Amino acid sequence: MTSPDLTAEILRNALCVAAEEAGIVVVRSAYSAFIVEGADAAAAILDARGRLVAHSLSTALIQCASLRGALPFLLDAHPPETMEPGDVFVLNDVYQGGIHANDLLVFRPVLVDGAPAYFTGTLIHVADLSGISAGGMASDATDVFLEGLQLPPVRIATAEGLADDLVRVLAANSRTPERLVGDLRALIAGANVAARRLEEIIEAHTPEGLARGIADYLAHTERRMRDGLADIPAGTRRASYTLDDGHTVRVAVTSDGAGALTVDFDGTDEQVPLPVNSGFSQTIGGVLYAVRCFVDPALPMNEGCFTPVDVRLPRGTLVHCTPPFPGGGRFGTVAAAEEAVLAAIAPDGAAASGILQAFSISGVRTPWLHMAFDLGGTGARPDGDGVDATGALFGGGRNIIPQVEPVEARLPLRIEEISLIPDSGGAGRHRGGLGTRTVLRVLDDARVDTRGERLRRPPPGASGGSPGRAGSYLRERADGRTEPLGTKATRQPLAAGEALIVETSGGGGHGPSGRRAPEALARDRADGRIT
């Protein structure tokens, strides 16, 4: 006899493998280098109640939160009784659980006895979908319409095939139509593969057996999540984090001491007509990332992790934007929410990280596009140094930074340097992680868009630690002269032979620098981390 717990674990792994296969199909089938080489793709399985059941390894928490947050809006727009076998739906609406215009969410229902019982979902950042800057990177977008084409939940395919008219509309709104359509087909292929695998699991275990197994392991995850959160002392603690432009995210975290948290962002600044706001799903994903830092890291990520955490997001604020305010540059605000939650819960405070610095380089004469997220150093911990060049916090899957060789083979770019920046980590008893320097030389006339954060206000340290070194974007002229680009520059010219230099921020230090162990200082000097 197989125990109920063992059966539930077998089912959980089978569902995770189904999602993982879907993610691999998306990555291998996509046309955009950012997806193929960076594996920035998500795949998940949800039930008809919108609960997250399983996801692929490459799926970031904010992507889980987006798929989970968007499904109820799909069901409102397309009632389950109207769905047929083979239907596939797509959306990107930030106000309906999406991330931003360039992130397409695809869902396929899996029917049991003629009604949707589960949904497979896939998500990637497509190369381009309209907007005033290529790749959806405009930092001067004053409303959501300038960020790209807006898609409410619509049917993109049936059992007969793609909705060709809609596909033509999407292609007509992209600077790289072949890549867009290829990426869309990859998303649908991934959702279809996961659906077939799920149907096989249902046939092997019966609908009732699968539902029982899912209920058991979601409940088990929730119990373990509550056990971990019960270690947070009862009471309310407040913290805040201020963005480069002066806008502030404020949070109050209340623990009941028994495994439940309330995370309330009341008092956060109002939304602004610039792409620094966050959609609600993204902030929820950031909160879950921060909260999970205080529980067993081996805990599976599913609905059981969400249930004990009540996230309260005032509408019309930086953390929950409403129409028509833009949300494309959400990651700075989401990271600020994470830092605030970490600082509120951590007994010794939390040193901040140098978060991802996004940028895009697009062709002027011909339609080519390179996008990347360079990462800063993480903040130091009370018991250890920060990690170099991994300060994504909420973002990223297996490898969100494309590799040099494929980029140079596909695009008129030469990547001349990728290196750690000495002295960029904040000093302290424990040192912040180092930032990086990347030099990208264009071989054809191009335009550059940047979207940086924690560059004017470098990541602060904690408990007496120093802030990390602020990063920057620079343009190197053909004669070697360098000049700064704005932290949120838009469509800046870069002539053939010139270079974009991206320097990411170091993480903050933790504890007074005078208490750093002499042997650690000697090792820093020997390794070239400090000069």
Side-chain angles (χ1 to χ4, degrees):
M1 290 289 290
T2 303
S3 72
D5 285 347
L6 180 58
T7 299
E9 184 65 11
I10 290 170
L11 285 171
R12 185 185 73 80
N13 280 282
L15 292 166
C16 287
V17 168
E20 181 66 13
E21 185 177 355
I24 292 170
V25 167
V26 173
V27 171
R28 293 294 183 91
S29 304
Y31 279 46
S32 296
F34 188 71
I35 309 304
V36 176
E37 303 300 336
D40 182 32
I45 295 171
L46 306 98
D47 68 12
R49 293 165 55 186
R51 299 185 302 174
L52 179 67
V53 172
H55 65 84
S56 67
L57 289 175
S58 64
T59 305
L61 234 169
I62 55 168
Q63 295 167 329
C64 288
S66 182
L67 290 164
R68 173 183 177 272
L71 184 54
F73 292 93
L74 167 62
L75 295 172
D76 283 345
H78 300 272
E81 60 270 18
T82 68
M83 296 181 179
E84 301 287 341
D87 281 354
V88 180
F89 303 88
V90 63
L91 68 98
N92 69 358
D93 190 339
V94 67
Y95 313 121
Q96 299 190 61
I99 298 176
H100 70 143
N102 283 66
D103 281 308
L104 293 185
L105 286 69
V106 163
F107 291 97
R108 174 171 173 166
V110 176
L111 280 61
V112 173
D113 297 328
Y118 302 96
F119 287 83
T120 60
T122 53
L123 186 163
I124 58 175
H125 181 111
V126 297
D128 186 78
L129 192 57
S130 191
I132 57 175
S133 287
M137 288 287 293
S139 293
D140 57 348
T142 54
D143 61 39
V144 73
F145 306 108
L146 296 175
E147 294 192 303
L149 184 68
Q150 302 302 301
L151 284 173
V154 292
R155 189 178 277 103
I156 189 67
T158 67
E160 303 301 316
L162 285 172
D164 289 332
D165 287 348
L166 180 54
V167 173
R168 281 193 286 270
V169 170
L170 296 177
N173 281 274
S174 175
R175 297 171 178 86
T176 54
E178 290 184 359
R179 290 187 180 181
L180 171 70
V181 175
D183 290 347
L184 177 61
R185 288 180 177 274
L187 284 166
I188 295 171
N192 286 340
V193 165
R196 287 198 296 272
R197 295 293 177 262
L198 184 53
E199 288 165 353
E200 293 169 0
I201 293 170
I202 292 170
E203 183 177 355
H205 293 274
T206 74
E208 296 77 14
L210 177 58
R212 243 188 340 266
I214 289 173
D216 287 344
Y217 80 69
L218 293 186
H220 179 66
T221 301
E222 181 181 345
R223 286 193 297 272
R224 289 179 61 193
M225 184 76 171
R226 291 185 183 276
D227 288 345
L229 296 179
D231 292 335
I232 299 173
T236 299
R237 298 162 189 82
R238 302 178 187 276
S240 63
Y241 198 96
T242 299
L243 303 175
D244 275 355
D245 60 9
H247 298 288
T248 300
V249 174
R250 299 177 179 86
V251 71
V253 179
T254 301
S255 169
D256 67 356
L261 289 186
T262 299
V263 182
D264 191 343
F265 288 90
D266 186 41
T268 291
D269 286 358
E270 293 183 357
Q271 59 192 352
V272 294
L274 288 172
V276 298
N277 311 297
S278 172
F280 72 90
S281 72
Q282 300 303 276
T283 307
I284 290 172
V287 169
L288 260 291
Y289 170 91
V291 169
R292 277 177 58 93
C293 291
F294 298 91
V295 300
D296 183 354
L299 191 65
M301 185 62 215
N302 56 48
E303 194 67 26
C305 294
F306 286 88
T307 305
V309 185
D310 178 15
V311 185
R312 300 179 181 178
L313 304 173
R315 290 175 57 83
T317 63
L318 291 173
V319 294
H320 188 176
C321 61
T322 56
F325 286 84
R330 75 282 169 199
F331 59 79
T333 291
V334 174
E338 292 174 319
E339 299 284 18
V341 172
L342 290 168
I345 299 177
D348 297 317
S353 298
I355 60 172
L356 58 86
Q357 283 179 228
F359 63 92
S360 68
I361 308 174
S362 56
V364 172
R365 295 187 180 89
T366 56
W368 59 271
L369 174 67
H370 172 64
M371 296 185 61
F373 298 142
D374 281 10
L375 307 180
T378 61
R381 305 176 301 278
D383 58 353
D385 293 342
V387 184
D388 303 330
T390 54
L393 295 185
F394 61 85
R398 291 189 184 90
N399 174 25
I400 64 172
I401 303 176
Q403 299 301 297
V404 170
E405 291 83 359
V407 170
E408 293 185 338
R410 293 167 184 257
L411 301 170
L413 280 174
R414 188 168 66 241
I415 301 177
E416 297 183 343
E417 178 184 348
I418 301 175
S419 60
L420 294 173
I421 302 174
D423 300 316
S424 56
R429 180 181 183 185
H430 298 292
R431 174 188 42 74
L434 302 184
T436 63
R437 172 186 167 91
T438 302
V439 179
L440 305 100
R441 195 166 304 278
V442 298
L443 308 180
D444 192 10
D445 290 351
R447 296 186 183 94
V448 173
D449 289 88
T450 66
R451 186 172 279 170
E453 184 61 44
R454 305 190 183 178
L455 307 183
R456 295 175 182 161
R457 297 172 181 263
S463 299
S466 299
R469 174 188 182 273
S472 64
Y473 297 97
L474 302 167
R475 173 169 43 209
E476 182 183 283
R477 296 296 190 181
D479 62 5
R481 291 181 298 114
T482 61
E483 56 190 40
L485 288 174
T487 61
K488 293 179 174 64
T490 56
R491 299 175 298 285
Q492 293 296 301
L494 201 63
E498 296 181 338
L500 171 67
I501 301 173
V502 182
E503 296 184 340
T504 65
S505 303
H510 196 286
S513 59
R515 296 182 62 188
R516 186 160 179 79
E519 58 271 21
L521 285 170
R523 186 171 60 249
D524 289 342
R525 291 191 183 92
D527 292 343
R529 296 179 181 278
I530 62 174
T531 58

